[in-house]
Amino acid sequence: MKFLVFIEQRDGKIRKASLEALSLAARLAGGPVSAVIAGKAIGEAAKELGKFGAAKVYVADRDDLALYSNRGYGGALQAAREKESPDAVLIAATSMGKDLAPRFAAKNDAGVLADVMDLRVEGDRLVGVRPVYSGKARATVEAASGLRVATTRPNVFPAEKNDGAAEPAIEALDLGALEIRARVTGITASGGKELDVTEADVVVSGGRGIKGPEGWPIIRDLVDAMGSGAALGASRAVVDAGWIDHQYQVGQTGKVVSPTLYVACGISGAIQHLAGMGTSKVIVAINKDADAPIFKVATYGVVADLFPFVPELAKAVRAIKSE
Amino acid sequence: MNSIVCIAYVPDTETKIRVAADGKSIDESDVKWIVSPYDEYALEEAIKTKESKGAGAVTVLSLGPERAKTGIRECLARGADDGIWIDSKGDALDALGVARNIAAAVKDLPRDVVWFGQKGVGFDESLVGPMVAELLGVPHVANVVKFEAGDGKVVCEREIEGAHEHVEAPLPCVITAQKGLNEPRYASLKGIMAAKKKPIQERAAETFAPKTTLTRLELPPPPKPCHFIPGGDPKSSAEGAAADPAGAARELARLLREEAKVI
Ligand SMILES: Cc1cc2nc3c(=O)[nH]c(=O)nc-3n(C[C@H](O)[C@H](O)[C@H](O)COP(=O)(O)OP(=O)(O)OC[C@H]3O[C@@H](n4cnc5c(N)ncnc54)[C@H](O)[C@@H]3O)c2cc1C
């Protein structure tokens, strides 16, 4: 099966989730694949893709692609598809990927295996597995003919790097005049320079058990102890209470995360919360109620008052990390 | 300003999921159905916009079996003007099939904004809204948390990783609503009475060969039992061990490093 992978960048920086998708495509294809990237001043970034499995990179590099637009970035994807004629297109299921994939699929009379956590090739079928109904069930979905499109859940597939790989062949795409209709006029960072929960390897979340916004410092200190790949998360209860912005919310009506480690502090583990973090590799629950449902999904549990315990945990993590 | 709000009628998120005998769908007995929560934000914004402009209509559209009409009635009770029910006739349509049917139903209607929730709760695919935009040949803005209808255009903020993108798009367009956009209203008793008299137009879905198929639905394997670390807390300690938060923290950190290898 011949793969084309859409590579997402913002400010010239390639998203890890796209490298995961690229690596996955190379594994499924059993060799190098093609990629497409759009943006402004991205030539250097494009060359890096060889290390993650791209033998060829289509590049749309122009001023009016500095900011995302579906027309511009989707136009680059469409142009690359026409040149490459792939059987399958992979796109990371980020907010950009989720914006691009459905329009691209509809334009090409294709379906989308959305937000898959597992993907394989069986003969000429692309087969994906995705959690449904808040993670209470899992669905196997497949696309058997025509163009197959899949979006891959960030942080699930490994991004494998091969430093010895050759630089990919670069082909510039000519998109002609672009009539951008839905136009991005600006971007405001809502969480400063903090890592977004969907991209973090470790997520430490606080729930109503933190008692009030003044409970955040001890939770944030544990995030800090976990290192640069860690991010802060929250339950809906504390978002609705106004203790923190919605951007941190994990769950059904928040973000879906699959970190290596998820630490739930003072979170009961309602099904809608589990919908957002149930696929984390290792789950730690800290809750003073031994019957809290979070312990049903937790790998490790500590029945404890989080106020004395979390600072001790931050201390112990720092100690073990500095050994 | 004319708005069409497309809603999905989905199992309540609290519903216990059982797989039906065909191994591909859920057992629908005892399922409570609700308007997908994100669609409620879309509906609320459409009604608010109509109220603030003092003109235009809000049409609610749903594709599904007979019960979808109940979902439409719930939206009419909250203030939408009329409804369109596309009878799915039990066909399993994929997202593109749903999008084609919706696009065909709204193509010739007066419409400034076609609204969707950013995803339908349950299947969570986030596909249909932008697909409909593509099929109608209009722009879309997805994941919108702030919306303002101006002169011939909309000004929105959409949520992306760690930031909000400010987006302007000309009308007509498609918008998908994200949590944070507004606080949806409840239906009043008066609204519920009025809804009974509001018209619901019916059409039959057209069948399209699906591009993607669901071949298997299964329950995930039960999680392994939790490994409790004793000594966390004196009062509530389930295992009755002596309180030693510092010791419990050291043991947890050790397990995370040596056994789970995640720190
Ligand atoms: C349609 C819908 C969508 C939803 N979407 C989401 C979503 O996206 N994300 C989400 O999280 N929820 C969501 N919810 C809400 C969800 O049902 C729960 O209400 C919510 O997750 C509860 O948050 P919580 O665990 O922080 O609070 P609570 O349920 O109040 O739990 C607090 C926990 O903290 C523990 N605790 C208290 N004090 C301490 C202490 N000192 N030390 C240790 N532990 C302590 C308590 O034992 C308790 O278990 C949704 C609900 C609906 C209906």
Side-chain angles (χ1 to χ4, degrees):
Chain A
M1 201 171 278
K2 195 170 164 194
F3 283 87
L4 173 68
V5 183
F6 175 82
I7 302 295
E8 168 175 350
Q9 61 75 35
R10 285 193 191 263
D11 300 323
K13 215 181 148 287
I14 291 175
R15 265 205 204 269
K16 184 167 150 266
S18 292
L19 299 177
E20 293 164 7
L22 178 57
S23 252
L24 171 65
R27 274 199 306 283
L28 294 177
V33 296
S34 295
V36 52
I37 183 168
K40 180 186 171 185
I42 49 170
E44 283 309 308
K47 286 186 197 154
E48 284 296 300
L49 297 172
K51 294 183 179 138
F52 294 90
K56 173 155 201 178
V57 184
Y58 294 94
V59 180
D61 193 337
R62 42 195 270 177
D63 289 353
D64 57 2
L65 295 179
L67 292 175
Y68 172 72
S69 62
N70 191 293
R71 260 288 160 93
Y73 286 42
L77 175 57
Q78 186 64 28
R81 168 207 157 38
E82 280 156 22
K83 293 201 167 212
E84 183 77 14
S85 305
D87 302 302
V89 170
L90 298 195
I91 307 174
T94 58
S95 48
M96 188 189 289
K98 288 181 186 168
D99 199 79
L100 277 176
R103 274 197 98 116
F104 171 74
K107 192 182 187 73
N108 294 285
D109 195 25
V112 182
L113 309 179
D115 203 17
V116 295
M117 309 202 51
D118 187 24
L119 193 66
R120 50 186 193 265
V121 174
E122 289 178 7
D124 58 3
R125 295 173 305 151
L126 189 63
V127 182
V129 178
R130 54 193 311 276
V132 292
Y133 299 115
S134 322
K136 284 181 279 191
R138 57 165 80 162
T140 303
V141 284
E142 60 176 56
S145 62
L147 182 68
R148 302 138 179 101
V149 181
T151 62
T152 55
R153 182 173 288 195
N155 253 335
V156 170
F157 302 96
E160 286 158 73
K161 193 171 180 190
N162 170 6
D163 280 314
E167 264 191 23
I170 302 286
E171 182 170 337
L173 292 170
D174 179 8
L175 305 184
L178 274 181
E179 190 223 331
I180 295 172
R181 297 177 298 177
R183 182 177 294 280
V184 177
T185 56
I187 296 182
T188 41
S190 34
K193 284 208 177 56
E194 283 178 45
L195 194 63
D196 190 70
V197 270
T198 56
E199 300 179 304
D201 279 333
V202 178
V203 175
V204 180
S205 288
R208 202 169 355 225
I210 70 162
K211 298 286 189 286
E214 55 291 347
W216 287 121
I218 63 163
I219 307 295
R220 283 189 186 274
D221 186 52
L222 181 56
V223 175
D224 189 56
M226 291 290 177
S228 59
L232 180 69
S235 73
R236 173 164 173 174
V238 298
V239 172
D240 286 355
W243 301 352
I244 197 163
D245 189 77
H246 173 245
Q247 126 122 48
Y248 294 91
Q249 185 183 317
V250 171
Q252 184 114 58
T253 40
K255 291 181 172 155
V256 175
V257 302
S258 303
T260 323
L261 173 61
Y262 188 89
V263 185
C265 307
I267 293 179
S268 58
I271 185 68
Q272 297 91 353
H273 190 77
L274 303 186
M277 45 61 76
T279 57
S280 307
K281 279 160 210 115
V282 172
I283 297 171
V284 169
I286 300 156
N287 196 304
K288 65 179 185 184
D289 173 9
D291 296 322
I294 189 78
F295 288 122
K296 294 209 174 65
V297 298
T299 325
Y300 301 108
V302 187
V303 180
D305 181 345
L306 68 89
F307 291 96
F309 183 77
V310 172
E312 289 296 345
L313 183 58
K315 212 191 288 174
V317 168
R318 283 197 175 94
I320 210 162
K321 281 190 155 223
S322 63
E323 265 171 24
Chain B
M1 178 106 184
N2 290 309
S3 308
I4 298 170
V5 184
C6 302
I7 64 148
Y9 208 49
V10 300
D12 187 339
T13 50
E14 302 283 353
T15 296
K16 187 165 165 55
I17 295 297
R18 283 182 307 255
V19 177
D22 67 357
K24 291 180 189 178
S25 57
I26 58 165
D27 176 348
E28 292 183 356
S29 52
D30 301 333
V31 171
K32 182 178 163 229
W33 300 89
I34 58 166
V35 174
S36 178
Y38 296 98
D39 301 345
E40 297 187 325
Y41 302 122
L43 176 69
E44 177 63 31
E45 203 63 19
I47 296 174
K48 260 175 52 186
T49 307
K50 179 183 110 168
E51 287 169 350
S52 73
K53 303 265 171 207
V58 176
T59 299
V60 179
L61 179 152
S62 188
L63 181 151
E66 182 89 30
R67 62 170 171 264
K69 273 205 282 192
T70 315
I72 294 173
R73 286 264 176 245
E74 285 172 21
C75 298
L76 296 177
R78 294 190 201 188
D81 299 291
D82 59 353
I84 300 172
W85 170 46
I86 309 177
D87 182 356
S88 60
K89 300 178 297 182
D91 276 358
L93 290 162
D94 65 352
L96 188 58
V98 171
R100 287 199 193 289
N101 273 292
I102 293 176
V106 306
K107 191 167 49 78
D108 299 323
L109 297 180
R111 56 181 159 82
D112 296 296
V113 178
V114 182
W115 284 94
F116 292 83
Q118 64 95 353
K119 64 181 178 186
V121 156
F123 262 73
D124 304 339
E125 291 184 311
S126 300
L127 294 176
V128 176
M131 281 178 164
V132 169
E134 180 64 30
L135 297 171
L136 293 173
V138 302
H140 80 272
V141 190
N143 238 12
V144 166
V145 291
K146 223 170 166 182
F147 173 84
E148 217 177 292
D151 213 5
K153 66 172 186 188
V154 294
V155 181
C156 310
E157 276 184 36
R158 72 183 215 100
E159 203 176 70
I160 62 169
E161 290 83 0
H164 282 188
E165 245 173 14
H166 301 248
V167 189
E168 279 187 29
L171 293 171
C173 65
V174 166
I175 308 280
T176 79
Q178 167 68 311
K179 178 175 183 259
L181 183 59
N182 52 45
E183 274 306 322
R185 70 191 67 190
Y186 293 104
S188 64
L189 193 60
K190 200 167 137 238
I192 295 171
M193 296 312 289
K196 294 190 175 141
K197 296 195 205 80
K198 291 179 180 172
I200 298 181
Q201 185 207 322
E202 301 188 2
R203 18 187 314 148
E206 206 183 311
T207 310
F208 294 96
K211 301 291 168 184
T212 57
T213 37
L214 192 160
T215 53
R216 207 160 121 96
L217 189 71
E218 63 200 318
L219 301 184
K224 287 205 204 83
C226 177
H227 176 158
F228 280 99
I229 289 134
D233 185 51
K235 295 178 292 295
S236 52
S237 181
E239 61 295 313
D244 178 16
R250 279 196 301 274
E251 173 62 0
L252 176 57
R254 185 191 71 77
L255 287 165
L256 291 177
R257 162 143 300 197
E258 291 171 13
E259 187 179 85
K261 301 190 170 65
V262 291
I263 61 171

